[in-house]
Amino acid sequence: MTEIPLVAMHGIVKRYPGVIALSDVSLAVRPGEVMALVGENGAGKSTLLKILAGAQRADEGTIEVDGRTVDIQVPRDSQEAGIAVIYQELNLASDLSVAENIYVGREPKTRWGTVDFKAMDRGSKALLDGLGIDLNPRTLVGDLNIALRQMVEIAKALLVEARLVVMDEPTSSLTEEEVDTLLTLVRRLRSSGVSVVYVSHRMREIYEIADRITVLRDGAVVGVREAADTTPSDIVQMMVGRELEDLYGTRETAVPVSARPALEVKNLASGRLLHDVSFSVDPGEIVVLAGLIGAGRSDAALAVFGAQARKAGEILLDGKPAALRTPSEAIDAGIGFVPEDRKNQGLFLGLPVRENISSASLTSISRMAFVSHRKDRALAGHHAGQLNLRSSAIEVAAGTLSGGNQQKVVLARWLAKKPRVLILDEPTRGVDVGAKAEIYHLIREVAAEGVAVLVISSELTEVLGLADRIVVLREGYGVGEIVAEGATEKQIMALATGVEEPIS
């Protein structure tokens, strides 16, 4: 007898003006399984999840729970059907406690009709203990790191006895150690009979926990596979419709020789996290700053770019001391910076792609303070083309693009500026594997042209695949440097965590 799926979506269609976002999509999740949902940005994953969550209505199709059709029109309908969706942007109140967030809208009452805070604390503690999380229910959510906030969201889902938990890119802001903790939690949910739909671009995670994998491409399902019967290469090919050979590009056998580093940082201290870090980047070299969240990697990047004041230390460009007190000074000195938070720090979301690309190069396309629209369009079109952005896309608002294409726009801005030093903070966070490959190859091309590239990454496979050298930070201090060729994840984590590990 065929097992009835816990949740099944049949023939889902969603149309927007001029676009079919989903075309006859079906998805079935068995009781107590982890189903990975994968696809490139724009494949339709988010739209499908929003329909399941009741945040959007499908134009056609049905949803079943335990074989019975349910009408999910609003989020409460989804919750009452036993479905909890945890979005990448967590839905928590920072100024409330852990217990208050878990019980929001479902607060227990005393016999006098007031909120029973003691009962909330007890219930929250029981839920957290059941998940293996040692956390005081009275802690403010605003004081928690991203990993613990994820755990609070999961506890919140279990309070309403969710039988299906959907996780949308849950590890995009986590360190490798925190990722392992979350994956352990997912396994615990599965063993307790809870089903999980797990959305991620990270193949390692998918193959560690998924039972089956559903692949979307261009708004349609192109395959459902048992994870044990496939390889990451098989899934990537299904996602992008082509083979991706050599994901990270080819590391140069020898970094171009230079009389001096393009960028040299000595004993740098900045912000709350960075205390004493030194490193250098030669022209044509890719150096990656690795370490756990809170190690000070982003503070180092911000200080070099003049976006965060230096407390101590020295920065040299081509061997000469550089003040770099503001981003304008850094840009004038030939430094480009792609920030970690592209939406809030890297893009003018309401402006067209064209203006986003040319925004750092206005002096080169202007005459007497007037921008040449012909040069503006030519500059943006050329560099958009380098990144496989359609020429028609340069006139649409940057905020309407997928995450991968938004990241390409930020990169195109600095390609147009032709920097001597390019700093990339988490350049592929939230980006699908196809766009990742394009970004990696672009970074290689930029380095081959003699640009000194400094990358910050929390993904160890990316660190090892991209870097020429790796500088490891721990608690605000530089604690080691490794030549990437032949290095291992274990060596990096030994330095990042302070665990003694002989490096051979």
Short mmCIF file of all heavy atoms in Angstrom, two decimals, residues 469-490:
data_model
loop_
_atom_site.label_atom_id
_atom_site.label_comp_id
_atom_site.label_asym_id
_atom_site.label_seq_id
_atom_site.Cartn_x
_atom_site.Cartn_y
_atom_site.Cartn_z
N ARG A 469 45.99 32.14 -0.36
CA ARG A 469 46.40 32.05 1.05
C ARG A 469 45.18 32.31 1.94
O ARG A 469 44.25 33.01 1.54
CB ARG A 469 47.47 33.09 1.39
CG ARG A 469 48.85 32.75 0.88
CD ARG A 469 49.92 33.72 1.38
NE ARG A 469 49.69 35.08 0.90
CZ ARG A 469 49.51 36.14 1.68
NH1 ARG A 469 49.49 36.00 3.01
NH2 ARG A 469 49.34 37.34 1.16
N ILE A 470 45.22 31.74 3.14
CA ILE A 470 44.12 31.88 4.10
C ILE A 470 44.69 32.48 5.38
O ILE A 470 45.66 31.96 5.95
CB ILE A 470 43.48 30.51 4.42
CG1 ILE A 470 42.98 29.84 3.13
CG2 ILE A 470 42.35 30.67 5.43
CD1 ILE A 470 42.79 28.35 3.26
N VAL A 471 44.09 33.59 5.83
CA VAL A 471 44.46 34.21 7.10
C VAL A 471 43.32 33.94 8.07
O VAL A 471 42.17 34.30 7.81
CB VAL A 471 44.69 35.73 6.94
CG1 VAL A 471 44.97 36.37 8.29
CG2 VAL A 471 45.85 35.98 5.97
N VAL A 472 43.63 33.30 9.19
CA VAL A 472 42.60 32.89 10.14
C VAL A 472 42.58 33.85 11.32
O VAL A 472 43.61 34.16 11.91
CB VAL A 472 42.83 31.45 10.64
CG1 VAL A 472 41.69 31.02 11.57
CG2 VAL A 472 42.93 30.49 9.46
N LEU A 473 41.36 34.33 11.68
CA LEU A 473 41.16 35.21 12.82
C LEU A 473 40.41 34.46 13.91
O LEU A 473 39.56 33.61 13.63
CB LEU A 473 40.34 36.45 12.43
CG LEU A 473 41.09 37.62 11.75
CD1 LEU A 473 41.68 37.20 10.42
CD2 LEU A 473 40.13 38.79 11.56
N ARG A 474 40.75 34.79 15.16
CA ARG A 474 40.02 34.24 16.30
C ARG A 474 39.90 35.31 17.37
O ARG A 474 40.91 35.86 17.81
CB ARG A 474 40.72 33.00 16.87
CG ARG A 474 39.94 32.35 18.02
CD ARG A 474 40.58 31.06 18.50
NE ARG A 474 41.82 31.27 19.25
CZ ARG A 474 43.00 30.83 18.90
NH1 ARG A 474 43.14 30.14 17.77
NH2 ARG A 474 44.06 31.06 19.63
N GLU A 475 38.66 35.63 17.73
CA GLU A 475 38.37 36.60 18.79
C GLU A 475 39.13 37.91 18.60
O GLU A 475 39.64 38.50 19.54
CB GLU A 475 38.69 35.98 20.15
CG GLU A 475 37.81 34.77 20.47
CD GLU A 475 38.16 34.13 21.79
OE1 GLU A 475 39.13 34.57 22.44
OE2 GLU A 475 37.45 33.18 22.18
N GLY A 476 39.21 38.35 17.34
CA GLY A 476 39.79 39.66 17.05
C GLY A 476 41.28 39.68 16.81
O GLY A 476 41.86 40.75 16.59
N TYR A 477 41.90 38.52 16.82
CA TYR A 477 43.36 38.44 16.62
C TYR A 477 43.67 37.55 15.41
O TYR A 477 42.98 36.55 15.17
CB TYR A 477 44.06 37.86 17.85
CG TYR A 477 43.94 38.74 19.08
CD1 TYR A 477 42.86 38.60 19.94
CD2 TYR A 477 44.90 39.70 19.36
CE1 TYR A 477 42.73 39.42 21.06
CE2 TYR A 477 44.79 40.51 20.48
CZ TYR A 477 43.69 40.37 21.32
OH TYR A 477 43.58 41.19 22.43
N GLY A 478 44.70 37.92 14.68
CA GLY A 478 45.20 37.03 13.64
C GLY A 478 45.97 35.89 14.28
O GLY A 478 46.92 36.13 15.03
N VAL A 479 45.56 34.65 14.01
CA VAL A 479 46.16 33.51 14.72
C VAL A 479 46.89 32.55 13.80
O VAL A 479 47.46 31.56 14.26
CB VAL A 479 45.09 32.74 15.52
CG1 VAL A 479 44.57 33.58 16.67
CG2 VAL A 479 43.95 32.25 14.63
N GLY A 480 46.88 32.84 12.52
CA GLY A 480 47.62 31.93 11.64
C GLY A 480 47.38 32.21 10.18
O GLY A 480 46.41 32.87 9.80
N GLU A 481 48.30 31.73 9.36
CA GLU A 481 48.20 31.88 7.91
C GLU A 481 48.53 30.54 7.27
O GLU A 481 49.47 29.87 7.68
CB GLU A 481 49.16 32.96 7.43
CG GLU A 481 49.10 33.23 5.94
CD GLU A 481 50.05 34.34 5.54
OE1 GLU A 481 49.93 35.47 6.07
OE2 GLU A 481 50.94 34.06 4.70
N ILE A 482 47.73 30.15 6.28
CA ILE A 482 47.89 28.85 5.64
C ILE A 482 47.92 29.03 4.13
O ILE A 482 47.10 29.78 3.58
CB ILE A 482 46.71 27.90 5.99
CG1 ILE A 482 46.51 27.79 7.50
CG2 ILE A 482 46.91 26.52 5.38
CD1 ILE A 482 45.24 27.05 7.89
N VAL A 483 48.83 28.34 3.45
CA VAL A 483 48.78 28.27 2.00
C VAL A 483 47.62 27.36 1.64
O VAL A 483 47.51 26.23 2.15
CB VAL A 483 50.10 27.73 1.43
CG1 VAL A 483 49.99 27.54 -0.08
CG2 VAL A 483 51.24 28.69 1.77
N ALA A 484 46.73 27.82 0.77
CA ALA A 484 45.48 27.10 0.52
C ALA A 484 45.70 25.74 -0.14
O ALA A 484 45.01 24.77 0.18
CB ALA A 484 44.54 27.95 -0.33
N GLU A 485 46.65 25.67 -1.07
CA GLU A 485 46.86 24.41 -1.77
C GLU A 485 47.32 23.34 -0.79
O GLU A 485 48.34 23.48 -0.12
CB GLU A 485 47.90 24.60 -2.88
CG GLU A 485 47.99 23.40 -3.81
CD GLU A 485 48.80 23.70 -5.05
OE1 GLU A 485 49.37 24.81 -5.14
OE2 GLU A 485 48.87 22.83 -5.92
N GLY A 486 46.54 22.29 -0.68
CA GLY A 486 46.86 21.20 0.24
C GLY A 486 46.30 21.38 1.64
O GLY A 486 46.42 20.48 2.48
N ALA A 487 45.69 22.53 1.93
CA ALA A 487 45.13 22.76 3.26
C ALA A 487 43.82 22.00 3.43
O ALA A 487 43.21 21.54 2.46
CB ALA A 487 44.89 24.25 3.47
N THR A 488 43.38 21.85 4.68
CA THR A 488 42.14 21.12 4.97
C THR A 488 41.22 21.96 5.86
O THR A 488 41.66 22.90 6.53
CB THR A 488 42.43 19.80 5.72
OG1 THR A 488 42.98 20.12 7.02
CG2 THR A 488 43.41 18.94 4.95
N GLU A 489 39.94 21.61 5.85
CA GLU A 489 38.97 22.27 6.72
C GLU A 489 39.37 22.10 8.18
O GLU A 489 39.20 23.01 9.00
CB GLU A 489 37.57 21.70 6.50
CG GLU A 489 36.98 22.00 5.12
CD GLU A 489 35.54 21.53 4.98
OE1 GLU A 489 34.93 21.18 6.01
OE2 GLU A 489 35.03 21.52 3.85
N LYS A 490 39.92 20.95 8.50
CA LYS A 490 40.31 20.66 9.88
C LYS A 490 41.38 21.63 10.37
O LYS A 490 41.35 22.10 11.51
CB LYS A 490 40.81 19.21 9.96
CG LYS A 490 40.90 18.65 11.38
CD LYS A 490 41.22 17.17 11.31
CE LYS A 490 41.25 16.56 12.71
NZ LYS A 490 41.57 15.12 12.65
#
